[in-house]
Each structure stands twice: as structure tokens, then as C-alpha cells.
Amino acid sequence: MSPFTGSAPPTDAWHHLRLTRDDGVATVTLARPDKLNALTFGAYADLRDLLAELSRDRSVRALVLGGEGRGFCSGGDVDEIIGATLSMDTAQLLDFNRMTGQVVRAVRECPFPVIAALHGVAAGAGAVLALAADFRIAEPSTRFAFLFTRVGLSGGDMGAAYLLPRVVGLGHATRLLMLGEPVRAPEAERIGLLSELVEEGGAGARAAELARHLADGPALAYAQTKALLTAELDMPLAAAVEMDAATQALLMNGEDYAEFHAAFTEKRPPKWRGR
């Protein structure tokens, strides 16, 4: 995403989530614990806009996404989303569904790794937010549920039918999106939906540890790796190899590549600058 901004100043306060920063690591917490962090229209819009702002900011090098209380996220709020959408016309519904998809695109397209710290329920839109992250660190209590067919909608919501087969394969994705049955942590790990399974209560700390490791590393290399992983999902091999070659040629002109060689020669750790 371009770092150039217009007249609008950075947002001073986010009303539908909590944001903290620590030397290149941003932590975003869904903070409606009494509602299992169910998403509202405002929460979707804040996530979309926050990720865009952080992407332009360029000071963030890793982001942790977590949920306060008993679970990660129970999906869209039944009253504030489902109840409200029943009175919307088609144009309004299209605007809403495009906004939810923009959140997923923002997670996939932001130039830093996103780590989902998971515990308890990750259902509906919460499951797709976790799916869109680059890393999913989960506790044994974690259970995914892609519930969309259970409310009479397509299982392919918010890009789930695009992302899930690429993570767990078409067979598992078909079962999860069609049936909407819960997938508990051991099965999620077995089918490749998790990056790492940790002890109960440990997802936040492990996600923060991984975020620090990533933030201290070669940020530009990580950003380009993420971009290529997303872009090349639909490319033929020849186009992917050409994109890899062009990317590497640009990075070989960067400061981090020269810094690695200098550090190797001088027998010291590299001082990554993300340039």
C-alpha cells in the first residue's frame, strides 16, 4: 500500500477495538467480551480503516490480532448485524458485504505479517479473520466454525471459499463451509488450519513473541514474501517465476541485502533496517 496520505489526519481513537504499539509491533484487540467480541458495523469499518492507516504508516512491522475474554470472536452480532440487515435493500446489503470483504483484503494486503492469537470460539466472520491472518497461534480451547450456511447464507463469505481450500485443501474446505460444524484445535492442527498449537492461556504470549521476532527481522523481505504468496496463488508458474525474479532483483539493490553480507563478513548479527 502506498505510504502517501492526503488531508485526513491519523485517527486519534478507535471506538470499536483497542490498539497498542510497542516498537514496531501493533496489537489489535477485539474488546466486546460480554458479547464474545461479536462484530458490529463499526467494528468492521474500524478494522478496515485501521489496517489501511497502519499500512501507510510504515512504522508497524508485525501485528497481533486477538480477542478479550472467553473467546477470539463469535462472528457478526446477531442483533446488530443480522437483525439490521433484514431491513436493508439490495444496494445496502451489497455495500455491507463488500465492506466485510475489504477487511479480509486489508489483512492479506497489508505489508506486515498478521498473527491471530486464538482461544475459545472463532466463528463466522471471526473464523475468516483468523483464516486471513499469516499465522494462527491457538490454544486447546480454540474451536473454528464457518457458520454461514447455518444462517441460510453461502459458506463462501468474506473470501472463505477462496482462502480455505488454499490452506486446508478442497475436501476439508468443502466439509467445513458446507456443514458449518465446529473444528476443535486438535483437528484444526491436523488439517493445517493452525500454524502452532500452544498450551491453554499461552496464545497471546506466543503471538507477541513471534511478532517481536518478525518486527526485529528484515521487514521488507517479509513484506515481499507475503505479497508474493498472495499474488501468486492464481498465477501460472512462468508468471510466478518472473515475478520472483523481478522482486529479488529489486531486493538485491536494497540495504538489508548488503547488510547481511557485511554482517556475515564481520561475524556479527545483521542490523535490519527494512530497506
Side-chain angles (χ1 to χ4, degrees), residues 37-231:
N37 301 316
L39 298 169
T40 62
F41 294 109
Y44 279 116
D46 267 5
L47 280 169
R48 175 200 61 195
D49 297 345
L50 170 63
L51 287 164
E53 282 199 16
L54 294 180
S55 296
R56 290 191 296 268
D57 182 280
R58 295 297 170 95
S59 66
V60 172
R61 300 188 297 279
L63 183 146
V64 175
L65 177 62
E68 183 179 322
R70 295 179 294 118
F72 173 69
C73 177
S74 59
D77 189 286
V78 173
D79 294 322
E80 295 192 38
I81 295 287
I82 297 178
T85 53
L86 291 174
S87 63
M88 291 182 176
D89 61 28
T90 302
Q92 292 171 316
L93 292 168
L94 185 57
D95 284 341
F96 165 66
N97 283 286
R98 281 176 171 162
M99 176 176 67
T100 66
Q102 287 164 358
V103 174
V104 171
R105 284 190 59 186
V107 173
R108 292 304 316 144
E109 294 174 3
C110 62
F112 42 77
V114 175
I115 305 155
L118 305 171
H119 70 289
V121 66
V128 184
L129 283 178
L131 174 64
D134 301 290
F135 298 90
R136 284 166 293 283
I137 310 297
E139 298 174 11
S141 64
T142 302
R143 61 190 186 280
F144 293 87
F146 296 88
L147 295 172
F148 307 108
T149 60
R150 296 204 166 193
V151 301
L153 298 176
S154 164
D157 194 54
M158 297 172 63
Y162 178 89
L163 291 170
L164 193 58
R166 289 162 168 81
V167 173
V168 302
L170 181 60
H172 289 305
T174 300
R175 172 172 59 91
L176 300 186
L177 295 182
M178 285 271 193
L179 301 180
E181 294 175 345
V183 180
R184 298 189 180 276
E187 183 187 2
E189 183 182 36
R190 178 179 64 81
I191 65 177
L193 188 52
L194 299 185
S195 306
E196 188 175 342
L197 183 60
V198 299
E199 64 182 15
E200 196 63 34
R206 175 59 185 137
E209 179 185 28
L210 177 57
R212 171 50 52 204
H213 172 78
L214 292 164
D216 290 343
L220 189 56
Y222 292 150
Q224 291 307 114
T225 302
K226 176 173 180 172
L228 292 177
L229 283 168
T230 299

